[in-house]
Amino acid sequence: MAFQKTKGRGVFVKPVGTPDLSGFRAVAQSYQDMAKVATGIGLDMRKREYNDLVRQAEIDGKTAGAVFDKQGNLVPLSNFDYGKASQAFNETDQKGIIAAYKKAALQTYVSAASNDIMRQADAALLASPNDPNGVRGALDGYLEGARDDLDPEVYAALAPKAV
């Protein structure tokens, strides 16, 4: 077989039998676009599930934050465990759900305890209207009892609001 150089030829030689690859780039781009859409749908579903779990944690936290016993006394807030956080797959999401639950429970408890303190202060004021020390003593007594019963974080949130 003789070999001749292609230098100086006007028409380039194309090997025979190779496929035309011009459409593969467009097909690859369309597959990549479909993958981006599918990933976006999955991320949106995950974000929606996370937001639903956070909303439910806030609702449950508000319910758990203000629990009263049979005598009508506020039960001290001491448990921040939230079992539904395990429904989230990611550990970071679980921490976010627990934080939302804890925040809602803490806010509700502090609000209910503040109302309880105001009710006791009103009762102390009605009992001795000319003695402001009675109101202060009722507050100090409530805070001393709360310091022993409550978690330090809960007490730290309650004390400034009560005072």
Side-chain angles (χ1 to χ4, degrees):
M1 185 180 327
F3 174 75
Q4 292 182 339
K5 294 182 178 179
T6 58
K7 182 177 179 185
R9 286 191 185 174
V11 177
F12 293 105
V13 176
K14 182 177 180 183
V16 182
T18 60
D20 183 15
L21 303 176
S22 63
F24 285 142
R25 174 173 281 176
V27 170
Q29 183 63 39
S30 66
Y31 283 147
Q32 187 175 8
D33 292 343
M34 284 191 306
K36 285 180 183 178
V37 168
T39 302
I41 290 171
L43 288 175
D44 288 345
M45 288 173 57
R46 183 174 173 269
K47 184 185 284 187
R48 190 173 26 258
E49 288 173 1
Y50 173 74
N51 289 337
D52 290 343
L53 286 171
V54 167
R55 277 190 227 108
Q56 187 62 44
E58 289 172 347
I59 291 167
D60 293 342
K62 288 179 182 180
T63 303
V67 177
F68 296 91
D69 61 9
K70 292 180 181 178
Q71 289 80 24
N73 298 324
L74 186 64
V75 175
L77 183 63
S78 59
N79 187 7
F80 288 118
D81 292 334
Y82 186 60
K84 290 184 182 178
S86 63
Q87 291 177 359
F89 297 113
N90 191 349
E91 186 177 336
T92 305
D93 291 350
Q94 290 176 358
K95 288 179 182 178
I97 292 166
I98 290 172
Y101 173 79
K102 188 175 184 178
K103 180 180 177 184
L106 192 61
Q107 287 175 344
T108 304
Y109 179 80
V110 167
S111 178
S114 296
N115 291 339
D116 197 23
I117 290 169
M118 290 296 289
R119 191 172 56 248
Q120 288 185 2
D122 289 342
L125 184 63
L126 288 175
S128 56
N130 296 328
D131 185 20
N133 289 331
V135 176
R136 287 189 199 104
L139 173 64
D140 290 341
Y142 190 93
L143 288 178
E144 285 298 320
R147 182 178 293 154
D148 297 336
D149 295 340
L150 294 177
D151 185 64
E153 184 178 0
V154 177
Y155 181 79
L158 175 63
K161 185 153 178 131
V163 172

